[in-house]
Amino acid sequence: AQRVTQPEKLLSVFKGAPVELKCNYSYSGSPELFWYVQYSRQRLQLLLRHISRESIKGFTADLNKGETSFHLKKPFAQEEDSAMYYCALTLTGGGNKLTFGTGTQLKVEL
Amino acid sequence: GAGVSQSPRYKVAKRGQDVALRCDPISGHVSLFWYQQALGQGPEFLTYFQNEAQLDKSGLPSDRFFAERPEGSVSTLKIQRTQQEDSAVYLCASSLDNWRSNQPQHFGDGTRLSIL
């Protein structure tokens, strides 16, 4: 069975500092990895997916199959980045559920 | 509205009562998912529909949970004889067509269910 681990429940950084939200997964096959974000009083929304290899709101994430990680990074944190971040995994090929981690609350302080 | 709509937003029920939660997906979205999110946890999969067909119900925690999507659009999640451990946020998500490739899932605001 697939599993996603986000080791930090809370990450607090100062504005302008680099951010790295950790995500590790366990799955023997070839997964698809996602980051979802939930801002205060808003619904869960997709931030980025590894197959797109894009940068959204300054965030990037690289899939490292050797370390089974998909860490989310941003070089300079902004106050509006404060939110709950969930890493999620699904199997390739379609028709599959998302398996989520427990989430990391990012707090960007001034 | 353009997004996934869920109702009610909040539901309080006494232990033992039956509840029904509604999800109205984005128009044209073929795939629909239900997730359960307990306090302090990430969402956990309950069930998946492709049009009106329920293709995966492996996440339903017990036979007290039942989901349907009879016309391939609106879906209802029903919980019979509710227990306190059913207290959670129930999230619905839809996507264009998840059958052959994983399309982004769009989430609703959820229904927060509290069992007294």
Side-chain angles (χ1 to χ4, degrees), chain A residues 9 32 34 36 38 41-46 49 51 86 90-103, chain B residues 3-5 33 35 37 40-45 48 56 58 91 98-109:
Chain A
K9 289 192 89 63
E32 287 190 43
F34 303 81
Y36 278 80
Q38 188 166 25
R41 299 187 192 86
Q42 293 187 27
R43 60 185 60 185
L44 197 60
Q45 57 186 281
L46 179 65
R49 54 193 302 194
I51 62 172
Y86 293 96
T90 191
L91 311 183
T92 53
N96 295 298
K97 63 187 180 185
L98 287 167
T99 297
F100 286 87
T102 51
Chain B
V4 176
S5 178
F33 298 80
Y35 294 85
Q37 186 173 19
Q41 302 296 316
E44 291 193 0
F45 170 79
Y48 158 54
D56 187 350
S58 62
L91 295 170
N98 229 46
W99 182 238
R100 287 188 177 80
S101 65
N102 292 308
Q103 301 298 316
Q105 294 184 27
H106 300 265
F107 284 80
D109 287 321

Side-chain angles (χ1 to χ4, degrees), chain B residues 68-99:
Chain B
E68 60 183 4
R69 195 186 183 198
E71 297 178 2
S73 179
V74 171
S75 177
T76 303
L77 176 67
K78 297 178 179 177
I79 309 174
Q80 297 177 320
R81 304 181 305 281
T82 52
Q83 303 293 316
Q84 281 193 320
E85 62 262 28
D86 300 335
S87 295
V89 175
Y90 290 85
L91 295 170
C92 177
S94 70
S95 64
L96 275 170
D97 186 343
N98 229 46
W99 182 238

